[in-house]
Amino acid sequence: LTTLESSKIIFYLDDGEFWKICFADLYKCEDVKIITKSSRFALSNTLKKLCILHNSTTINSKFNLPLKSIWNSVDNLILTGNAGKKCFVFTDTSIREVSEDVLKRLKRNNNKLVMYFLNTLGTDSATDYAMQMVEKRYFDVHFTIDSADAKKHGFIYCNCCYSKIEHRKTRNLFELTFVGKDKGRVNDLKNIARRTQKISSKYYIAEVKTSDMEKIDNVIYNQVLPYQAVLDLVNESRAILEWVQDGQVGFSFRIYEAICYDKILITNNQFVKKCPFYNEKSMIIIQDSSDDILSILSNAQNPKYGYCGEYSPIHFVERIKKELLIED
């Protein structure tokens, strides 16, 4: 743990390609280290599986298993925090398998704790536990990507963390693409898909009920793409579709993808006007899924946003240091 002990800021993140890509720039920071769920416990693979099962959110939400403290001696969160004077950053999803006992231990050793909400409160049950811990005052500062949540709860509004990945430019195989979960949007998405069947377009909609799976040639249901495959699709697209849920006030990852990779954005998100990269000819706001998207696309301007790392997680680290008065 030598490298962790010498670091000032510890990010605890979910496993998976998506998080690894979004926070990739943090690996360039000497005083920042990342612990993921799979690297949290210093155990052999067999014991690690048992430990993860013992600490599983799914199981413990139904029946709170006893004796989870037996893993404390191999818990990299606790071991790193024992030295004190660290800053631990949790997201609203990574916190789910971190017990109150662990949070109490970190606080007892004069560590700072940060909560970073990457989901709009009330739209996903994944945020429930995080909010419970917030209400119990475990955290020294709270960030959110949703400006309405920031105003309502007194959190600090900030952008998502997003690291641009360099990849070879390919020709546009698709005029318009979408990747995302249903989240109550499937009827609007199907309507847009039907209206854009005449052009090269593709829609990946996940978590759709069988009863809602209308056969549409350019729609693929419940196929979950790895995030690198999502970026490959973005790279092959002229425009990407963002369709936000009712009540969402903030940027989604579709906006960051459009800006980083110079793609036209078709969106129903009025908040996009607040984006410093906003261009009405390339970031086009539509009011309804029945709008004439074919005409909109034919008149849209291929963008050059001039992105220079403005949404990199390195800037988020600088913000944390400023809020908590952490010296470089």
Side-chain angles (χ1 to χ4, degrees):
L1 291 175
T2 304
T3 55
L4 287 175
E5 289 172 353
S6 64
S7 301
K8 293 180 180 179
I9 300 179
I10 314 298
F11 276 74
Y12 183 58
L13 301 175
D14 294 274
D15 291 306
E17 193 175 60
F18 175 75
W19 302 104
K20 187 175 181 179
I21 290 174
C22 288
F23 288 92
D25 288 348
L26 291 184
Y27 292 95
K28 305 172 187 176
C29 301
E30 292 183 359
D31 60 349
V32 175
K33 292 299 174 184
I34 295 174
I35 299 176
T36 62
K37 290 185 177 181
S38 62
S39 67
R40 177 179 168 185
F41 296 98
L43 293 164
S44 65
N45 288 336
T46 302
L47 283 174
K48 187 178 291 186
K49 289 177 182 178
L50 178 61
C51 176
I52 291 172
L53 187 65
H54 193 179
N55 288 278
S56 165
T57 304
T58 303
I59 294 174
N60 283 280
S61 63
K62 297 176 181 177
F63 179 74
N64 190 23
L65 297 174
L67 303 176
K68 289 192 284 292
S69 61
I70 63 172
W71 308 108
N72 287 354
S73 62
V74 291
D75 187 340
N76 280 329
L77 285 176
I78 293 175
L79 295 175
T80 306
N82 282 343
K85 297 184 178 180
K86 300 279 192 280
C87 172
F88 287 82
V89 184
F90 299 91
T91 71
D92 51 327
T93 55
S94 73
I95 192 70
R96 285 181 294 177
E97 291 171 12
V98 179
S99 69
E100 285 191 66
D101 177 63
V102 172
L103 296 179
K104 288 175 182 176
R105 286 172 178 270
L106 294 178
K107 293 293 287 184
R108 275 201 301 267
N109 287 310
N110 296 316
N111 296 293
K112 300 291 186 181
L113 272 59
V114 173
M115 172 52 63
Y116 183 24
F117 282 97
L118 293 171
N119 291 286
T120 301
L121 287 167
T123 61
D124 193 327
S125 60
T127 63
D128 292 348
Y129 179 71
M131 198 59 192
Q132 290 172 25
M133 298 303 101
V134 167
E135 291 168 350
K136 292 185 178 183
R137 302 183 181 276
Y138 284 113
F139 301 97
D140 298 278
V141 64
H142 315 86
F143 293 94
T144 178
I145 65 167
D146 190 289
S147 64
D149 284 344
K151 291 177 182 178
K152 182 177 180 180
H153 299 284
F155 298 164
I156 299 171
Y157 170 73
C158 66
N159 296 309
C160 282
C161 289
Y162 197 79
S163 303
K164 180 180 178 180
I165 304 299
E166 297 299 330
H167 54 219
R168 183 175 57 85
K169 176 66 177 175
T170 63
R171 65 188 182 89
N172 293 331
L173 300 177
F174 304 101
E175 277 290 301
L176 181 65
T177 56
F178 171 86
V179 180
K181 298 177 182 178
D182 174 359
K183 293 185 177 181
R185 304 173 290 183
V186 68
N187 289 330
D188 284 327
L189 294 171
K190 288 191 299 185
N191 193 25
I192 294 171
R194 282 193 295 267
R195 299 171 69 84
T196 55
Q197 288 184 92
K198 294 180 180 179
I199 61 173
S200 54
S201 59
K202 187 168 286 189
Y203 301 79
Y204 289 87
I205 313 174
E207 297 185 3
V208 180
K209 297 176 183 177
T210 303
S211 57
D212 289 327
M213 290 185 191
E214 175 187 349
K215 181 172 173 50
I216 306 173
D217 289 342
N218 53 352
V219 177
I220 299 171
Y221 297 106
N222 296 344
Q223 180 178 331
V224 179
L225 297 179
Y227 192 58
Q228 185 58 61
V230 174
L231 290 183
D232 291 343
L233 187 64
V234 168
N235 193 35
E236 296 169 347
S237 306
R238 178 172 177 247
I240 55 180
L241 173 68
E242 175 197 50
W243 201 257
V244 297
Q245 303 160 256
D246 290 341
Q248 181 176 332
V249 184
F251 300 157
S252 77
F253 283 100
R254 302 293 84 81
I255 291 179
Y256 299 109
E257 291 160 2
I259 292 168
C260 287
Y261 303 111
D262 289 325
K263 300 299 176 180
I264 295 166
L265 181 74
I266 307 295
T267 180
N268 66 335
N269 187 355
Q270 294 287 335
F271 196 77
V272 75
K273 292 180 181 178
K274 296 183 180 293
C275 176
F277 293 93
Y278 175 66
N279 177 341
E280 63 180 7
K281 295 182 179 179
S282 301
M283 291 183 172
I284 302 163
I285 300 170
I286 61 177
Q287 304 299 323
D288 190 85
S289 61
S290 60
D291 285 359
D292 189 352
I293 294 180
L294 293 181
S295 176
I296 289 168
L297 279 171
S298 66
N299 293 305
Q301 184 180 88
N302 294 335
K304 290 289 183 182
Y305 295 110
Y307 177 74
C308 294
E310 286 85 347
Y311 300 124
S312 169
I314 292 175
H315 299 304
F316 182 52
V317 169
E318 293 169 352
R319 184 75 180 275
I320 291 171
K321 289 179 177 179
K322 181 179 178 181
E323 292 294 334
L324 294 177
L325 302 179
I326 299 173
E327 296 181 358
D328 289 316

